[in-house]
Amino acid sequence: MMSVTMSTKVFLNFYNTNAAWVIKSLSKPHSYVQSAAYMKIKVAPNYDDIEIPEKKKLRMMDKVPPPVLHTASNLAVQQRSEAKYCRGPEPIHNKLNYGQYGVQALDGGYLSHKHMDAWRLYINSKLTNVMFAEWRIEPPWKPVTKKGTGKRMGKGKSSISHYVTPVKAGRILLEVGGEIEYKQVYKMLRHVAAQCPFDARIISAEILQKEEEQKNWIATNNLNPFSFRYCARNNFLGIKKDLSPYDLKWSGKY
């Protein structure tokens, strides 16, 4: 008898606390909150104006320049290690041709055939039938010399070890486009930007346009006349002795 009364008390307590909520929910089914609705669905982007080239995948780059391959002796002339090829901003190849996405270099440096071949294999494996990728850099053409292990210094310039491609700051390395959004491109190209021997980033046409508008706005609305260029040209605090000619030329940016 004791167990029956205890069970009935437990049932009555449970009923009194939860019965009202159960009855209210059953009597008003429209009170449920919907987790998804038509208004929350994002409109799919329109890809009608996108031009997809015939060759959708990245082509293989040559390890050695073609003029060297076609010579009878198969010998190349050594060059000086000139830093002018990777110093300063890129004046030409700094815009997107297809107006979608790409990888942009932030500093100058050299790219070897190993970098290009690794990127080619990775990106081509990620491309679909509605996507494409295209190089914006030339194949390796600048020779790099290297002495053998254990050899003494001197006795002229050593033989050529491999070839590289010089890259300036702001250069577009490659482009990716098609029926794809920025989130998908970022996941695919973040490994490419991380493997660069210099700082690089993933860009889109919208990012470049916003940066250009911000740059123009600052140039027109800046009220402070004491910029880096003005202070360096007028030798404020004798700073000109600590600056290089390239700092005066590019205002300390590169």
Side-chain angles (χ1 to χ4, degrees):
M1 188 69 180
M2 183 69 66
S3 62
V4 174
T5 55
M6 289 296 294
S7 61
T8 53
K9 287 182 179 180
V10 171
F11 175 76
L12 291 175
N13 292 332
F14 175 78
Y15 180 80
N16 292 331
T17 55
N18 297 323
W21 178 83
V22 173
I23 294 172
K24 184 178 180 180
S25 62
L26 293 176
S27 61
K28 296 181 180 180
H30 61 275
S31 63
Y32 291 122
V33 179
Q34 295 182 356
S35 60
Y38 180 77
M39 296 176 63
K40 295 183 179 181
I41 299 176
K42 295 183 179 180
V43 180
N46 188 10
Y47 299 107
D48 295 338
D49 57 341
I50 295 176
E51 298 180 1
I52 299 179
E54 296 180 0
K55 297 182 179 180
K56 301 179 182 180
K57 295 189 176 182
L58 296 174
R59 61 184 178 87
M60 183 181 294
M61 294 288 195
D62 297 329
K63 287 185 179 181
V64 183
V68 179
L69 293 174
H70 299 333
T71 55
S73 60
N74 200 18
L75 296 176
V77 181
Q78 296 94 332
Q79 296 182 8
R80 294 182 297 176
S81 56
E82 296 173 320
K84 65 180 182 180
Y85 294 112
C86 58
R87 181 186 286 125
E90 174 61 37
I92 301 174
H93 303 284
N94 52 11
K95 302 294 182 182
L96 295 171
N97 290 339
Y98 293 95
Q100 286 194 275
Y101 317 103
V103 179
Q104 186 183 36
L106 298 178
D107 295 327
Y110 297 101
L111 290 175
S112 64
H113 181 266
K114 294 181 180 180
H115 297 105
M116 301 177 187
D117 201 41
W119 299 346
R120 179 185 63 86
L121 294 174
Y122 177 76
I123 293 177
N124 288 346
S125 64
K126 299 293 183 179
L127 294 179
T128 60
N129 296 330
V130 293
M131 297 166 56
F132 69 91
E134 186 171 328
W135 291 113
R136 290 294 304 277
I137 53 177
E138 58 272 8
W141 58 269
K142 184 175 176 55
V144 177
T145 59
K146 183 180 180 181
K147 285 187 177 293
T149 306
K151 289 191 176 181
R152 298 180 62 181
M153 299 296 292
K155 296 184 180 179
K157 198 169 181 65
S158 57
S159 58
I160 295 175
S161 173
H162 59 279
Y163 292 85
V164 295
T165 299
V167 173
K168 292 185 177 182
R171 176 73 181 262
I172 306 296
L173 305 180
L174 56 91
E175 287 192 45
V176 177
E179 298 182 9
I180 185 172
E181 297 183 4
Y182 181 77
K183 294 181 179 180
Q184 299 171 311
V185 170
Y186 185 84
K187 292 181 180 180
M188 182 173 61
L189 297 182
R190 62 181 179 179
H191 303 287
V192 176
Q195 292 176 0
C196 285
F198 41 78
D199 293 338
R201 64 170 182 169
I202 304 167
I203 60 169
S204 64
E206 297 178 357
I207 293 176
L208 294 179
Q209 184 178 2
K210 289 181 180 179
E211 289 180 353
E212 189 68 22
E213 292 177 355
Q214 184 180 6
K215 182 180 178 181
N216 296 334
W217 185 88
I218 292 174
T220 54
N221 297 281
N222 184 24
L223 301 178
N224 184 14
F226 299 101
S227 61
F228 182 93
R229 183 184 181 88
Y230 181 82
C231 295
R233 291 294 177 89
N234 293 277
N235 197 19
F236 277 39
L237 300 176
I239 195 176
K240 194 176 269 189
K241 64 180 180 181
D242 298 324
L243 299 177
S244 67
Y246 301 106
D247 292 332
L248 298 175
K249 183 177 180 182
W250 295 310
S251 301
K253 294 182 180 180
Y254 306 101

